Amino acid sequence: LPQHGLTRHGLNKVLRELPRNPLILASLAGVAMSLGAAGQGLGGATGAVILLLAGAATPLALLATGAELDLRLLISRPGLLMMACVGKLLLLPGLTWVLGWWIGADPVALAAAVVLMACPAAVASGPMARQLGGDEALAAAIIVATTIMAPLTLVLWLMLLT
C-alpha cells in the first residue's frame, strides 16, 4: 500500500499484485502438492531435490538479507527498529499468551503458539516488501535485528512458559 497509496485504487492494485506474488504462488503450489500426495510426502528424486533446496533456502535468504542491510539505517532509525523488535518479540507473544489464557487454550498448544509468535520476522518479508513497494531496507533491518535478538527473548518466553 505505501507505493500505491491508501486509496481504493491503491488497495485494488495491491489485491491484483498479490496473486502474482512468487511467495504466495510457491506456497499454494506446496499445498497443492501436499494434498496430491495425500500425506505420503514426496518420494524419490523429486523429494530429495526439494528437501535439498528447502535446507538451503533459509540460510541463503538470511545471507541475502544481511548483504542488503543498510547499516546507516540501524544508526539513523534505532527507535523504529527497537519498536519493531519489542513488538515482534515481546508484545505479540505476550498478546498471544493473554488471549490464549483468556479463551482457555490447552497449555501445550498455547506454549507452542507463544513460541511461534516470538520467532524473528520472516525472511520472506524482505522480498514481499520489495514486490509490494514497501521499505525493503527497513524490512531487512527488522529481519536482522529480530534474528539477533530472538535467542534472548525466546529463552525468556520459554522460562516464563515452563
Side-chain angles (χ1 to χ4, degrees):
L1 283 175
Q3 177 184 14
H4 307 297
L6 294 173
T7 64
R8 184 182 197 112
H9 174 72
L11 180 60
N12 287 336
K13 188 154 182 150
V14 167
L15 291 174
R16 282 193 309 272
E17 288 177 13
L18 280 176
R20 296 183 296 185
N21 184 300
L23 298 169
I24 293 173
L25 292 174
S27 296
L28 291 174
V31 169
M33 292 172 73
S34 177
L35 292 174
Q40 297 176 3
L42 296 172
T46 303
V49 169
I50 289 175
L51 287 174
L52 182 66
L53 290 172
T58 300
L60 287 174
L62 284 170
L63 181 66
T65 300
E68 288 179 14
L69 181 63
D70 183 358
L71 294 176
R72 290 173 295 178
L73 183 66
L74 297 173
I75 297 167
S76 67
R77 293 162 76 179
L80 186 58
L81 279 176
M82 184 58 71
M83 189 170 60
C85 286
V86 167
K88 176 66 181 105
L89 302 175
L90 296 174
L91 295 179
L92 185 59
L95 183 62
T96 302
W97 182 79
V98 168
L99 185 61
W101 174 81
W102 184 65
I103 65 170
D106 174 69
V108 174
L110 180 55
V114 169
V115 168
L116 285 173
M117 291 296 111
C119 287
V123 176
S125 60
M128 189 75 87
R130 181 181 310 116
Q131 184 171 12
L132 296 177
D135 189 340
E136 62 184 288
L138 179 60
I142 290 171
I143 293 165
V144 170
T146 57
T147 300
I148 291 168
M149 297 299 296
L152 302 173
T153 57
L154 277 168
V155 168
L156 172 72
W157 281 112
L158 289 171
M159 287 178 9
L160 291 172
L161 292 168
T162 55

